[in-house]
Protein backbone atom coordinates (compact mmCIF):
# COMPACT_ATOMS: atom_id res chain seq x y z
CA UNK A 1 0.00 0.00 0.00
CA UNK A 2 1.25 3.45 -0.92
CA UNK A 3 0.54 6.56 1.08
CA UNK A 4 -0.13 9.16 -1.57
CA UNK A 5 0.26 12.84 -0.79
CA UNK A 6 -3.26 14.35 -0.54
CA UNK A 7 -3.03 16.93 -3.34
CA UNK A 8 -2.16 16.27 -6.99
CA UNK A 9 -1.75 18.58 -9.97
CA UNK A 10 -3.56 17.84 -13.22
CA UNK A 11 -4.83 19.96 -16.15
CA UNK A 12 -3.33 23.15 -14.70
CA UNK A 13 -4.92 22.85 -11.30
CA UNK A 14 -4.44 21.35 -7.88
CA UNK A 15 -7.04 18.72 -6.96
CA UNK A 16 -7.41 16.04 -4.27
CA UNK A 17 -5.37 13.00 -5.28
CA UNK A 18 -8.52 10.84 -5.29
CA UNK A 19 -10.08 13.15 -7.92
CA UNK A 20 -7.03 13.13 -10.21
CA UNK A 21 -8.40 10.66 -12.77
CA UNK A 22 -7.93 10.19 -16.50
CA UNK A 23 -9.88 8.30 -19.18
CA UNK A 24 -9.22 4.73 -20.32
CA UNK A 25 -9.03 6.22 -23.83
CA UNK A 26 -6.01 8.34 -22.94
CA UNK A 27 -3.61 8.18 -25.89
CA UNK A 28 -0.42 7.79 -23.81
CA UNK A 29 -1.79 4.75 -22.01
CA UNK A 30 -1.97 2.92 -25.33
CA UNK A 31 1.23 4.09 -26.98
CA UNK A 32 3.65 4.77 -24.13
CA UNK A 33 3.90 8.40 -25.27
CA UNK A 34 4.59 9.84 -21.86
CA UNK A 35 7.71 10.83 -20.00
CA UNK A 36 8.29 11.15 -16.31
CA UNK A 37 10.57 12.42 -13.65
CA UNK A 38 11.15 11.23 -10.13
CA UNK A 39 12.64 13.17 -7.28
CA UNK A 40 13.02 12.77 -3.59
CA UNK A 41 12.21 15.13 -0.79
CA UNK A 42 13.00 14.84 2.89
CA UNK A 43 12.07 16.84 5.99
CA UNK A 44 14.94 19.23 6.73
CA UNK A 45 16.68 17.65 9.78
CA UNK A 46 17.72 21.19 10.84
CA UNK A 47 14.35 22.93 10.36
CA UNK A 48 10.98 21.20 10.77
CA UNK A 49 9.21 23.94 8.74
CA UNK A 50 11.16 23.03 5.61
CA UNK A 51 11.57 20.14 3.24
CA UNK A 52 14.63 19.61 1.05
CA UNK A 53 14.44 18.61 -2.61
CA UNK A 54 17.58 17.21 -4.17
CA UNK A 55 18.70 18.82 -7.46
CA UNK A 56 15.25 20.11 -8.31
CA UNK A 57 16.63 22.23 -11.15
CA UNK A 58 18.26 19.27 -12.92
CA UNK A 59 15.14 17.13 -12.57
CA UNK A 60 13.00 19.89 -14.10
CA UNK A 61 15.49 20.41 -16.90
CA UNK A 62 15.52 16.69 -17.76
CA UNK A 63 11.73 16.50 -17.75
CA UNK A 64 11.51 19.56 -19.99
CA UNK A 65 13.93 17.85 -22.39
CA UNK A 66 11.89 14.64 -22.26
CA UNK A 67 8.79 16.72 -23.09
CA UNK A 68 10.58 18.08 -26.16
CA UNK A 69 10.92 14.54 -27.47
CA UNK A 70 7.12 14.35 -27.19
CA UNK A 71 6.79 17.67 -29.07
CA UNK A 72 5.55 19.34 -25.94
CA UNK A 73 6.94 22.73 -25.00
CA UNK A 74 7.06 22.71 -21.21
CA UNK A 75 9.76 25.01 -19.82
CA UNK A 76 11.82 23.78 -16.87
CA UNK A 77 10.97 26.87 -14.79
CA UNK A 78 7.24 26.15 -15.20
CA UNK A 79 7.78 22.58 -13.94
CA UNK A 80 9.86 23.91 -11.06
CA UNK A 81 7.20 26.37 -9.95
CA UNK A 82 4.44 23.72 -10.12
CA UNK A 83 6.53 21.29 -8.06
CA UNK A 84 7.32 23.99 -5.49
CA UNK A 85 3.61 24.84 -5.13
CA UNK A 86 2.79 21.12 -5.02
CA UNK A 87 5.11 20.63 -2.04
CA UNK A 88 3.78 23.73 -0.23
CA UNK A 89 0.21 22.51 -0.63
CA UNK A 90 0.96 18.96 0.54
CA UNK A 91 3.18 19.93 3.49
CA UNK A 92 4.82 16.48 3.68
CA UNK A 93 6.22 15.56 7.10
CA UNK A 94 8.04 12.37 6.12
CA UNK A 95 10.38 11.40 3.27
CA UNK A 96 8.57 11.45 -0.04
CA UNK A 97 8.90 10.93 -3.76
CA UNK A 98 7.45 13.22 -6.42
CA UNK A 99 6.37 11.86 -9.79
CA UNK A 100 5.84 14.52 -12.47
CA UNK A 101 4.51 13.16 -15.77
CA UNK A 102 4.01 14.62 -19.25
CA UNK A 103 1.91 12.72 -21.77
CA UNK A 104 -0.40 12.77 -24.75
CA UNK A 105 -3.70 13.31 -22.96
CA UNK A 106 -5.90 13.25 -26.08
CA UNK A 107 -8.60 10.60 -26.36
CA UNK A 108 -7.96 9.93 -30.05
CA UNK A 109 -6.32 6.85 -31.51
CA UNK A 110 -3.31 6.51 -33.88
CA UNK A 111 0.22 6.85 -32.54
CA UNK A 112 1.63 10.31 -33.21
CA UNK A 113 3.01 13.34 -31.45
CA UNK A 114 1.76 16.14 -33.68
CA UNK A 115 -1.71 17.70 -33.50
CA UNK A 116 -2.49 16.09 -30.22
CA UNK A 117 -3.37 17.42 -26.80
CA UNK A 118 -0.81 17.01 -24.05
CA UNK A 119 -0.87 17.48 -20.31
CA UNK A 120 1.40 17.54 -17.30
CA UNK A 121 0.50 16.06 -13.92
CA UNK A 122 2.26 15.68 -10.60
CA UNK A 123 1.56 13.44 -7.65
CA UNK A 124 3.60 12.21 -4.72
CA UNK A 125 3.88 9.46 -2.19
CA UNK A 126 5.62 8.79 1.07
CA UNK A 127 8.84 6.87 0.46
CA UNK A 128 11.41 5.98 3.05
CA UNK A 129 14.71 4.16 2.65
CA UNK A 130 14.24 0.65 1.44
CA UNK A 131 17.76 -0.46 0.79
CA UNK A 132 19.34 -3.50 2.31
CA UNK A 133 22.83 -2.44 3.45
CA UNK A 134 24.00 -5.97 2.60
CA UNK A 135 23.79 -5.23 -1.10
CA UNK A 136 21.68 -6.47 -3.97
CA UNK A 137 22.18 -9.52 -6.16
CA UNK A 138 22.08 -8.92 -9.92
CA UNK A 139 21.37 -11.02 -12.95
CA UNK A 140 22.78 -10.08 -16.36
CA UNK A 141 19.54 -9.69 -18.25
CA UNK A 142 18.67 -11.56 -21.42
CA UNK A 143 16.93 -8.30 -22.42
CA UNK A 144 19.18 -5.62 -23.89
CA UNK A 145 18.97 -1.88 -23.29
CA UNK A 146 17.34 -0.12 -26.24
CA UNK A 147 19.42 1.89 -28.70
CA UNK A 148 19.31 5.66 -29.00
CA UNK A 149 18.56 5.30 -32.72
CA UNK A 150 15.19 3.72 -31.97
CA UNK A 151 14.19 5.65 -28.85
CA UNK A 152 15.33 8.93 -27.28
CA UNK A 153 17.18 7.41 -24.35
CA UNK A 154 18.07 10.80 -22.87
CA UNK A 155 14.42 11.21 -22.01
CA UNK A 156 12.61 9.13 -19.41
CA UNK A 157 10.04 7.95 -21.93
CA UNK A 158 7.37 5.84 -20.29
CA UNK A 159 7.10 3.34 -23.16
CA UNK A 160 10.78 2.48 -22.75
CA UNK A 161 10.06 0.97 -19.37
CA UNK A 162 8.68 -2.21 -20.91
CA UNK A 163 12.30 -3.34 -21.24
CA UNK A 164 13.05 -2.43 -17.63
CA UNK A 165 9.94 -4.29 -16.52
CA UNK A 166 10.82 -7.43 -18.49
CA UNK A 167 14.37 -7.38 -17.16
CA UNK A 168 13.38 -6.75 -13.55
CA UNK A 169 10.77 -9.52 -13.51
CA UNK A 170 13.11 -11.96 -15.20
CA UNK A 171 15.74 -11.19 -12.53
CA UNK A 172 13.37 -11.42 -9.56
CA UNK A 173 11.62 -14.57 -10.79
CA UNK A 174 14.99 -16.28 -11.17
CA UNK A 175 16.02 -15.40 -7.62
CA UNK A 176 17.89 -12.10 -8.01
CA UNK A 177 17.07 -8.61 -6.77
CA UNK A 178 17.92 -6.58 -9.84
CA UNK A 179 18.85 -6.79 -13.52
CA UNK A 180 21.90 -5.44 -15.31
CA UNK A 181 21.29 -4.76 -18.99
CA UNK A 182 23.93 -4.90 -21.68
CA UNK A 183 23.56 -2.61 -24.69
CA UNK A 184 23.33 -3.69 -28.33
CA UNK A 185 27.14 -3.76 -28.49
CA UNK A 186 27.26 -6.22 -25.60
CA UNK A 187 28.73 -3.64 -23.20
CA UNK A 188 27.34 -2.93 -19.73
CA UNK A 189 24.70 -0.19 -19.88
CA UNK A 190 22.71 0.12 -16.65
CA UNK A 191 20.27 -1.61 -14.30
CA UNK A 192 16.48 -1.64 -14.78
CA UNK A 193 16.10 1.80 -13.20
CA UNK A 194 19.58 2.73 -11.99
CA UNK A 195 22.98 3.59 -13.40
CA UNK A 196 25.96 1.37 -12.68
CA UNK A 197 29.49 1.89 -11.36
CA UNK A 198 32.46 -0.45 -11.10
CA UNK A 199 35.40 0.12 -8.76
CA UNK A 200 38.70 -1.39 -9.81
CA UNK A 201 42.06 -0.64 -8.17
CA UNK A 202 40.71 2.51 -6.54
CA UNK A 203 39.22 3.94 -9.75
CA UNK A 204 35.49 4.54 -10.17
CA UNK A 205 34.40 3.49 -13.66
CA UNK A 206 30.98 4.13 -15.20
CA UNK A 207 29.64 3.51 -18.71
CA UNK A 208 29.52 6.88 -20.50
CA UNK A 209 26.74 8.68 -22.37
CA UNK A 210 27.64 6.72 -25.53
CA UNK A 211 26.59 3.46 -23.86
CA UNK A 212 22.81 4.00 -24.16
CA UNK A 213 22.41 4.99 -20.52
CA UNK A 214 19.87 7.35 -19.04
CA UNK A 215 21.59 10.59 -18.02
CA UNK A 216 21.05 9.87 -14.35
CA UNK A 217 21.15 12.79 -11.96
CA UNK A 218 22.42 10.62 -9.09
CA UNK A 219 25.11 9.31 -11.46
CA UNK A 220 26.21 12.86 -12.18
CA UNK A 221 26.24 13.61 -8.43
CA UNK A 222 28.31 10.51 -7.67
CA UNK A 223 30.90 11.32 -10.34
CA UNK A 224 31.20 14.91 -9.11
CA UNK A 225 31.52 13.83 -5.47
CA UNK A 226 34.15 11.21 -6.34
CA UNK A 227 36.22 13.72 -8.34
CA UNK A 228 36.03 16.26 -5.53
CA UNK A 229 37.19 13.59 -3.05
CA UNK A 230 40.22 12.95 -5.26
CA UNK A 231 39.02 9.49 -6.30
CA UNK A 232 40.01 8.79 -9.94
CA UNK A 233 36.94 8.60 -12.20
CA UNK A 234 36.69 7.21 -15.73
CA UNK A 235 33.66 7.11 -18.03
CA UNK A 236 34.20 4.38 -20.60
CA UNK A 237 32.68 1.20 -22.03
CA UNK A 238 32.58 -1.61 -19.45
CA UNK A 239 32.72 -5.32 -20.30
CA UNK A 240 30.60 -7.88 -18.51
CA UNK A 241 33.70 -9.69 -17.25
CA UNK A 242 34.88 -6.53 -15.47
CA UNK A 243 31.78 -6.71 -13.32
CA UNK A 244 32.61 -10.22 -12.23
CA UNK A 245 36.12 -9.39 -10.99
CA UNK A 246 35.42 -5.87 -9.72
CA UNK A 247 36.48 -4.80 -6.23
CA UNK A 248 33.11 -3.07 -5.81
CA UNK A 249 30.01 -2.56 -7.93
CA UNK A 250 27.17 -0.21 -7.04
CA UNK A 251 24.01 1.18 -8.60
CA UNK A 252 22.72 4.75 -8.39
CA UNK A 253 19.29 6.28 -8.75
CA UNK A 254 16.95 8.73 -7.08
CA UNK A 255 14.83 6.11 -5.33
CA UNK A 256 17.65 3.78 -4.26
CA UNK A 257 20.39 6.44 -3.92
CA UNK A 258 23.55 4.27 -3.86
CA UNK A 259 22.90 0.53 -3.75
CA UNK A 260 25.90 -1.78 -3.26
CA UNK A 261 25.93 -4.97 -5.35
CA UNK A 262 26.82 -8.12 -3.43
CA UNK A 263 26.63 -10.72 -6.21
CA UNK A 264 26.44 -10.82 -9.99
CA UNK A 265 25.20 -14.09 -11.44
CA UNK A 266 27.23 -16.70 -9.52
CA UNK A 267 30.10 -14.32 -8.68
CA UNK A 268 30.17 -13.03 -5.11
CA UNK A 269 31.77 -9.59 -4.75
CA UNK A 270 33.97 -8.59 -1.77
CA UNK A 271 32.03 -7.63 1.38
CA UNK A 272 34.41 -4.73 2.01
CA UNK A 273 33.24 -1.71 0.01
CA UNK A 274 35.28 1.29 1.14
CA UNK A 275 34.59 3.54 -1.86
CA UNK A 276 30.88 2.71 -2.13
CA UNK A 277 30.49 3.40 1.60
CA UNK A 278 32.38 6.68 1.41
CA UNK A 279 30.33 7.94 -1.56
CA UNK A 280 27.09 6.83 0.04
CA UNK A 281 27.80 8.62 3.30
CA UNK A 282 28.80 11.77 1.46
CA UNK A 283 25.67 11.71 -0.72
CA UNK A 284 23.46 11.27 2.35
CA UNK A 285 25.12 14.22 4.10
CA UNK A 286 24.64 16.37 0.99
CA UNK A 287 20.94 15.50 0.58
CA UNK A 288 20.41 16.37 4.27
CA UNK A 289 22.06 19.74 3.64
CA UNK A 290 24.90 18.98 6.05
CA UNK A 291 27.60 19.77 3.50
CA UNK A 292 28.07 23.47 2.67
CA UNK A 293 30.19 22.63 -0.39
CA UNK A 294 27.10 21.25 -2.16
CA UNK A 295 24.44 23.72 -0.97
CA UNK A 296 23.54 24.49 -4.59
CA UNK A 297 22.20 20.94 -4.99
CA UNK A 298 19.67 21.27 -2.18
CA UNK A 299 16.41 23.21 -2.64
CA UNK A 300 14.75 24.07 0.68
CA UNK A 301 10.99 24.70 0.46
CA UNK A 302 9.09 26.24 3.33
CA UNK A 303 5.98 24.32 4.38
CA UNK A 304 5.17 26.44 7.42
N1 LIG B 1 18.35 4.60 -15.49
C1 LIG B 1 17.03 4.43 -15.60
C2 LIG B 1 16.49 3.58 -16.71
C3 LIG B 1 16.18 5.03 -14.65
O1 LIG B 1 14.85 4.88 -14.74
C4 LIG B 1 16.72 5.81 -13.60
C5 LIG B 1 15.83 6.40 -12.56
N2 LIG B 1 15.39 7.67 -12.91
C6 LIG B 1 18.12 5.97 -13.55
C7 LIG B 1 18.90 5.35 -14.51
C8 LIG B 1 18.75 6.82 -12.49
O2 LIG B 1 18.49 8.17 -12.73
P1 LIG B 1 18.40 9.25 -11.56
O3 LIG B 1 19.68 9.16 -10.81
O4 LIG B 1 18.26 10.55 -12.27
O5 LIG B 1 17.23 8.91 -10.73
Amino acid sequence: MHNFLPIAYLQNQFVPFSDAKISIATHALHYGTGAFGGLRGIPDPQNSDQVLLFRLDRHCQRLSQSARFLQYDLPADKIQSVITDFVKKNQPRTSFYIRPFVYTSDLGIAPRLHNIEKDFFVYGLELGDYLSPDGVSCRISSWHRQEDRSLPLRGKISGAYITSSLAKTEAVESGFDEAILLNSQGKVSEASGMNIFVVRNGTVISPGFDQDILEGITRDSVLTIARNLGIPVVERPVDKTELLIADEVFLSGTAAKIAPVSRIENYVLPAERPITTKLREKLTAITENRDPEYKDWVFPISIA
Side-chain angles (χ1 to χ4, degrees):
M1 257 303 284
H2 294 302
N3 287 331
F4 293 103
L5 301 187
I7 308 292
Y9 177 86
L10 179 81
Q11 292 163 348
N12 298 311
Q13 54 186 339
F14 289 97
V15 293
F17 174 77
S18 52
D19 293 346
K21 302 248 166 72
I22 58 171
S23 165
I24 57 171
T26 302
H27 184 268
L29 185 60
H30 301 256
Y31 302 115
T33 42
F36 58 93
L39 55 157
R40 260 186 185 276
I42 55 166
D44 185 340
Q46 286 84 237
N47 179 349
S48 59
D49 288 336
Q50 271 188 179
V51 296
L52 307 173
L53 298 187
F54 187 60
R55 303 196 75 178
L56 174 63
D57 54 345
R58 280 296 297 263
H59 281 280
C60 295
Q61 180 194 40
R62 187 173 67 191
L63 186 62
S64 176
Q65 289 168 351
S66 295
R68 280 174 70 176
F69 291 127
L70 301 176
Q71 308 241 349
Y72 182 17
D73 181 21
L74 185 63
D77 55 2
K78 160 82 179 169
I79 301 170
Q80 189 160 330
S81 85
V82 169
I83 290 180
T84 303
D85 290 346
F86 169 85
V87 171
K88 284 179 177 294
K89 285 189 189 296
N90 277 294
Q91 301 186 311
R93 297 281 164 191
T94 55
S95 298
F96 59 103
Y97 181 82
I98 304 173
R99 171 52 60 86
F101 194 77
V102 295
Y103 66 110
T104 51
S105 52
D106 211 274
L107 305 188
I109 51 175
R112 67 185 189 285
L113 296 167
H114 62 282
N115 293 341
I116 189 160
E117 185 184 285
K118 296 167 188 128
D119 192 32
F120 163 47
F121 67 61
V122 184
Y123 71 95
L125 46 112
E126 292 178 5
L127 186 71
D129 276 348
Y130 59 79
L131 257 190
S132 148
D134 308 333
V136 295
S137 61
C138 294
R139 173 179 173 160
I140 309 278
S141 186
S142 73
W143 298 99
H144 286 195
R145 173 76 172 155
Q146 304 99 339
E147 293 181 78
D148 195 70
R149 62 181 162 176
S150 45
L151 203 81
L153 297 179
R154 284 174 175 74
K156 274 174 74 73
I157 308 296
S158 60
Y161 282 80
I162 181 63
T163 309
S164 296
S165 305
L166 288 163
K168 177 80 178 186
T169 293
E170 177 190 68
V172 170
E173 291 195 338
S174 50
F176 297 83
D177 300 314
E178 184 50 66
I180 296 172
L181 285 81
L182 306 181
N183 62 23
S184 58
Q185 306 302 307
K187 301 291 182 186
V188 174
S189 183
E190 58 180 21
S192 70
M194 289 176 270
N195 292 109
I196 190 164
F197 295 80
V198 180
V199 182
R200 298 192 65 197
N201 302 321
T203 297
V204 171
I205 306 160
S206 191
F209 290 149
D210 56 353
Q211 297 302 305
D212 295 325
I213 64 167
L214 179 81
E215 294 186 352
I217 294 166
T218 320
R219 175 185 181 277
D220 178 77
S221 309
V222 167
L223 292 175
T224 304
I225 294 166
R227 283 192 189 101
N228 290 346
L229 287 172
I231 300 169
V233 166
V234 190
E235 294 174 73
R236 63 155 174 83
V238 171
D239 286 323
K240 178 180 99 171
T241 52
E242 291 191 274
L243 295 179
L244 309 178
I245 56 166
D247 301 324
E248 301 173 47
V249 175
F250 63 89
L251 309 174
S252 77
T254 294
K257 303 176 192 172
I258 291 179
V261 174
S262 55
R263 179 164 67 95
I264 299 173
E265 299 280 339
N266 51 331
Y267 289 74
V268 176
L269 294 171
E272 288 289 306
R273 309 175 185 118
I275 291 185
T276 307
T277 306
K278 198 169 179 180
L279 292 170
R280 205 173 143 178
E281 283 169 3
K282 188 83 173 164
L283 183 65
T284 303
I286 293 169
T287 56
E288 292 176 0
N289 214 4
R290 289 190 275 115
D291 195 323
E293 203 189 330
Y294 295 91
K295 268 203 157 345
D296 294 355
W297 284 359
V298 183
F299 290 73
I301 297 178
S302 168
I303 55 164

